[in-house]
């Protein structure tokens, strides 16, 4: 069965994955390719539409990311966004100029709502602009269908040729009705039926895995995180006991997490699979003793994981397939798909054990974004508390304990973190009960970390010289940038007071206000 799809051509802009996610929200499957991909290769995918993203260049710059005229002559509808819009105009004979001032931020924009792109929209709409260059003269055959006080061409179209250009960013949430504009393009202009849905994905994936695996043996490293859990359940539904999951408890998990994972996937859980839990806590603590350099810690934790995994694999004997919970952003960020993130190589893609003897890797979630993985998880009947788990780094609490890791420090950060999450969760629940919606300050990720700072305090009549805990909570869309969340003071105070009273060894609590950049979300 051929899958209906739209292709996003990546010119290196920061919102490229967001464009693809929004298209998928319109139930249209979509993939990202670098602008360097030959046109022929793109056409072989038989896309029903093409979207050109924003990018950091200026069309006149030497070496600027570009494309040939042929891209616009295939008859396939093309939508250019920001740089993509300028490029389309430039290549097709229009003019692009550099403005004196950058147009940046929320901008009131006026629309021609007879344009297929803007059907059903109000005539005046707020959009997110971020550009220096602007389209100063339309390419032949184009008309302007949106403008702002400063930009005569905020959007343009050549309906006859199915070409559309938007100067702003419909993919970001700051643009009102942005998803509607993308919907209009992919569903109405491109004529996509919208068949990308998670129930059919799950059904299709199970069938495909069954066909591929036959009666082979499958091995999966289960971390308890969303991705590996969903991958494991898919495999279990497809091949049952032919699957063995290895869960390494490295002693750097959140409080009770090891037991929770075992309860779901272990022998008393609800899935048909072989489950091996390796209790490697002591092994990790001894490897990490005396190590305080963050990268070194990450390396040790990663290498030890691979070693343990290999040991377990040897005990099982030959396996035919190894399952990886790679998801689409990992693929794009490793530079295998898009353009912008050749910068970063991802642990899920790069970090395979070298000495595990297997025939092939299965990556059942390779095409999915995180929110789609969650939907697939619910579809598979995985408990919502697992599906909606906060992101948790592979090196676990190892990167939330600044400096040397010890069993005692792990206890402190686990206990403080459990209290903090409880307090935030119950404040959120109380707010929801009263207002019927989540509070505006609802963080996307929140946890406690242990600083390496000890300070003097007084407890009862005794002097203390104990550690300080840092509470972190961030609002973020993509985890690439983040702001500290505005957690109500009383929630912070209650968490602080409980942490100091209940967690031995902690006598001070800080709230971390740092945004990203310049900070990162994790401490190390
Ligand atoms: P940073 O600290 O880089 O974190 O701002 C961004 C997001 O990524 C998570 N994170 C990781 N996830 N392996 C992972 O799977 C890792 O090594 C890792 N380090 C950070 C972090 O929790 C945040 O959501």
């Amino acid at each position: 069965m051929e899958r209906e799809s739209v292709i996003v051509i990546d010119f290196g802009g920061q919102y490229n994955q967001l464009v693809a996610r929004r298209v998928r929200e319109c139930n249209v499957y979509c993939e990202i390719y670098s602008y360097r991909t030959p046109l022929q290769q793109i056409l072989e995918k038989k896309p029903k539409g093409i979207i050109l993203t924003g990018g950091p260049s200026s069309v006149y710059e030497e070496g600027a990311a570009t494309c040939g005229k042929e891209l616009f002559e295939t008859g396939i509808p093309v939508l250019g966004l920001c740089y993509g819009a300028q490029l389309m105009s430039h290549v097709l004979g229009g003019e692009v100029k550099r403005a004196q001032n950058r147009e940046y931020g929320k901008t009131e924009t006026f629309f021609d709502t007879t344009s297929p792109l803007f059907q059903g929209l109000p005539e005046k709409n707020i959009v997110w602009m971020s550009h220096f260059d602007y389209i100063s003269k339309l390419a032949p055959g184009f008309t302007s269908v949106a403008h702002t006080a400063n930009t005569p061409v905020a959007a343009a179209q050549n309906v006859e040729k199915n070409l559309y250009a938007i100067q702003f960013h419909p993919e970001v949430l700051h643009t009102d009705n942005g998803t509607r504009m993308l919907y209009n393009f992919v569903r109405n202009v491109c004529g996509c039926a919208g068949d990308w849905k998670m129930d059919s994905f799950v059904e299709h994936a199970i069938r495909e895995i069954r066909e591929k695996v036959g009666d082979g043996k499958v091995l999966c490293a289960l971390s308890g995180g969303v991705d590996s859990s969903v991958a494991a359940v898919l495999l279990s539904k497809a091949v049952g006991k032919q699957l063995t999951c290895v869960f390494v408890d490295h002693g750097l998990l959140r409080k009770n997490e090891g037991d929770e994972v075992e309860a779901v996937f272990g022998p008393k859980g609800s899935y048909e699979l072989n489950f091996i839990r390796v209790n490697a806590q002591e092994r990790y603590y001894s490897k990490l003793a005396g190590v305080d350099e963050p990268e070194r810690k990450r390396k040790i934790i990663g290498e030890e994981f691979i070693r343990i995994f290999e040991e377990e694999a040897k005990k099982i004997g030959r396996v035919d397939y190894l399952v990886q919970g790679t998801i689409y952003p990992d693929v794009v960020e490793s530079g295998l798909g898009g353009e912008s993130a050749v910068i970063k190589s991802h642990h899920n893609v790069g970090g395979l054990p070298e000495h595990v003897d297997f025939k092939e890797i299965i990556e059942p979630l390779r095409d999915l974004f995180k929110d789609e993985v969650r939907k697939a998880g619910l579809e598979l009947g995985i408990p919502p508390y697992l599906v909606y788990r906060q992101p948790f780094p592979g090196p676990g609490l190892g990167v939330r304990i600044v400096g040397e890791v010890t069993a005692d420090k792990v206890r402190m950060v686990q206990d403080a973190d459990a209290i903090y999450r409880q307090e935030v969760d119950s404040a959120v629940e109380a707010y929801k009960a009263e207002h019927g919606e989540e509070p505006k300050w609802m963080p996307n990720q929140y946890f406690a970390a242990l600083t390496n700072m000890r300070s003097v305090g007084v407890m009862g009549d005794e002097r203390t010289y104990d550690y300080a805990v840092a509470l972190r909570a961030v609002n973020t869309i993509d985890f690439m940038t983040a702001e500290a969340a505005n957690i109500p003071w009383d929630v912070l105070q209650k968490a602080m007071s409980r942490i100091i009273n209940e967690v031995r060894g902690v006598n001070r609590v800080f709230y971390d206000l740092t945004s990203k950049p310049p900070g990162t979300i994790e401490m190390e």
Side-chain angles (χ1 to χ4, degrees):
M1 191 181 75
E2 204 150 272
R3 190 151 64 182
E4 167 186 273
S5 76
V6 161
I7 282 183
V8 171
I9 300 189
D10 183 354
F11 287 92
Q14 54 181 325
Y15 301 127
N16 302 338
Q17 289 195 32
L18 219 45
V19 175
R21 271 180 53 195
R22 295 277 176 262
V23 171
R24 298 226 193 149
E25 280 170 22
C26 305
N27 298 114
V28 173
Y29 182 71
C30 148
E31 286 185 349
I32 306 173
Y33 288 92
S34 159
Y35 72 91
R36 293 176 221 259
T37 313
L39 180 60
Q40 196 46 39
Q41 206 177 316
I42 304 260
L43 296 181
E44 277 163 18
K45 304 267 165 195
K46 303 206 175 93
K48 293 194 100 173
I50 294 174
I51 300 180
L52 315 181
T53 73
S57 322
S58 181
V59 289
Y60 294 111
E61 257 167 44
E62 209 173 305
T66 189
C67 66
K69 213 173 165 177
E70 315 77 57
L71 178 66
F72 305 105
E73 292 167 348
T74 64
I76 300 171
V78 184
L79 169 65
L81 303 178
C82 196
Y83 178 75
Q86 295 158 9
L87 185 65
M88 182 188 290
S89 303
H90 175 66
V91 170
L92 295 178
E95 234 175 47
V96 174
K97 277 198 182 142
R98 173 137 293 211
Q100 294 259 308
N101 296 310
R102 184 174 176 210
E103 192 177 35
Y104 183 80
K106 290 188 179 180
T107 310
E108 190 173 61
T109 305
F110 300 88
F111 291 94
D112 173 351
T113 54
T114 62
S115 158
L117 279 189
F118 304 129
Q119 262 166 29
L121 257 75
E123 283 174 3
K124 204 164 77 179
N125 196 66
I126 297 294
V127 310
W128 183 255
M129 288 283 186
S130 171
H131 64 116
F132 264 118
D133 291 0
Y134 68 102
I135 299 169
S136 54
K137 196 175 125 218
L138 290 165
F142 278 78
T143 49
S144 170
V145 284
H147 66 275
T148 71
N150 300 317
T151 309
V153 186
Q157 67 184 24
N158 180 340
V159 176
E160 210 172 294
K161 298 229 160 108
N162 265 328
L163 303 177
Y164 296 84
I166 295 184
Q167 178 56 73
F168 53 88
H169 291 277
E171 68 276 22
V172 305
L173 291 175
H174 306 307
T175 295
D176 291 343
N177 299 305
T179 304
R180 179 64 205 253
M181 299 172 198
L182 293 172
Y183 182 97
N184 283 346
F185 179 69
V186 296
R187 300 291 292 269
N188 301 342
V189 175
C190 304
C192 291
D195 58 6
W196 176 247
K197 300 204 173 112
M198 279 308 112
D199 50 352
S200 47
F201 166 82
V202 163
E203 209 178 292
H204 187 73
I206 291 177
R207 211 175 323 127
E208 232 177 28
I209 294 167
R210 243 179 232 151
E211 267 167 34
K212 178 175 212 165
V213 169
D215 56 6
K217 270 192 187 174
V218 188
L219 182 64
C220 172
L222 186 65
S223 71
V226 185
D227 305 342
S228 69
S229 298
V230 174
V233 174
L234 257 183
L235 262 296
S236 149
K237 300 257 180 197
V239 299
K241 288 269 185 189
Q242 287 160 251
L243 168 70
T244 301
C245 288
V246 176
F247 168 58
V248 179
D249 185 341
H250 51 24
L252 302 165
L253 299 168
R254 287 164 286 199
K255 191 169 180 170
N256 300 330
E257 191 165 11
D259 295 341
E260 284 169 16
V261 172
E262 185 169 345
V264 175
F265 293 98
K268 292 193 185 132
S270 36
Y271 300 109
E272 195 190 348
L273 50 86
N274 301 300
F275 177 82
I276 298 173
R277 174 173 177 171
V278 186
N279 286 315
Q281 294 91 329
E282 294 311 322
R283 184 163 166 177
Y284 268 90
Y285 299 152
S286 71
K287 284 272 171 194
L288 288 166
V291 183
D292 58 7
E293 207 274 311
E295 278 306 305
R296 183 89 203 102
K297 280 162 64 178
R298 276 181 178 263
K299 263 220 151 70
I300 292 173
I301 297 168
E303 277 169 11
E304 205 54 25
F305 176 83
I306 290 176
R307 215 149 289 150
I308 293 172
F309 190 65
E310 282 173 356
E311 288 168 16
E312 293 305 315
K314 276 206 193 94
K315 287 186 209 158
I316 299 168
R318 190 184 155 74
V319 291
D320 302 286
Y321 300 92
L322 186 69
V323 182
Q324 295 255 306
T326 315
I327 67 172
Y328 195 52
D330 305 338
V331 175
V332 177
E333 282 166 20
S334 300
L336 304 175
E339 182 59 27
S340 51
V342 190
I343 319 155
K344 194 163 128 191
S345 88
H346 197 279
H347 60 116
N348 278 347
V349 179
L352 282 179
E354 276 172 33
H355 309 294
V356 177
D357 189 16
F358 60 91
K359 199 162 71 185
E360 215 181 312
I361 295 167
I362 302 183
E363 297 175 312
L365 312 177
R366 202 183 158 83
D367 290 340
L368 304 192
F369 281 108
K370 195 78 173 188
D371 46 336
E372 294 174 321
V373 175
R374 292 194 211 279
K375 281 189 202 148
L378 293 177
E379 203 59 55
L380 286 161
I382 302 176
Y385 79 88
L386 258 183
V387 165
Y388 287 107
R389 239 192 191 153
Q390 294 191 44
F392 188 62
L397 300 178
V399 293
R400 293 184 182 171
I401 294 173
V402 179
E404 188 191 3
V405 173
T406 65
D408 204 37
K409 285 180 170 179
V410 169
R411 172 195 55 81
M412 287 183 221
V413 75
Q414 276 181 339
D415 288 349
D417 179 63
I419 291 171
Y420 179 46
R421 284 188 289 127
Q422 254 171 26
E423 290 305 327
V424 171
D425 292 346
S426 65
V428 168
E429 286 314 312
Y431 186 97
K432 279 198 331 212
E434 195 178 330
H435 298 89
E437 59 177 9
E438 277 181 356
K440 287 224 162 35
W441 52 264
M442 176 72 202
N444 304 94
Q445 192 174 0
Y446 47 107
F447 56 85
L450 193 69
T451 73
N452 207 12
M453 186 197 105
R454 291 169 77 194
S455 67
V456 174
V458 56
M459 194 83 143
D461 292 328
E462 301 252 330
R463 174 187 188 274
T464 58
Y465 185 57
D466 283 337
Y467 282 99
V469 157
L471 303 181
R472 185 97 169 112
V474 293
N475 292 123
T476 172
I477 292 181
D478 52 9
F479 297 89
M480 307 288 275
T481 60
E483 298 287 339
N486 196 5
I487 305 269
W489 190 248
D490 57 333
V491 179
L492 291 174
Q493 269 193 321
K494 179 132 185 257
M496 174 276 293
S497 139
R498 280 194 57 198
I499 289 169
I500 290 179
N501 279 314
E502 296 173 35
V503 186
R504 196 169 27 84
V506 174
N507 70 350
R508 204 170 283 269
V509 174
F510 294 116
Y511 186 62
D512 185 348
L513 280 174
T514 322
S515 56
K516 171 184 180 175
T520 51
I521 294 175
E522 300 293 345
M523 286 275 166
E524 288 188 340

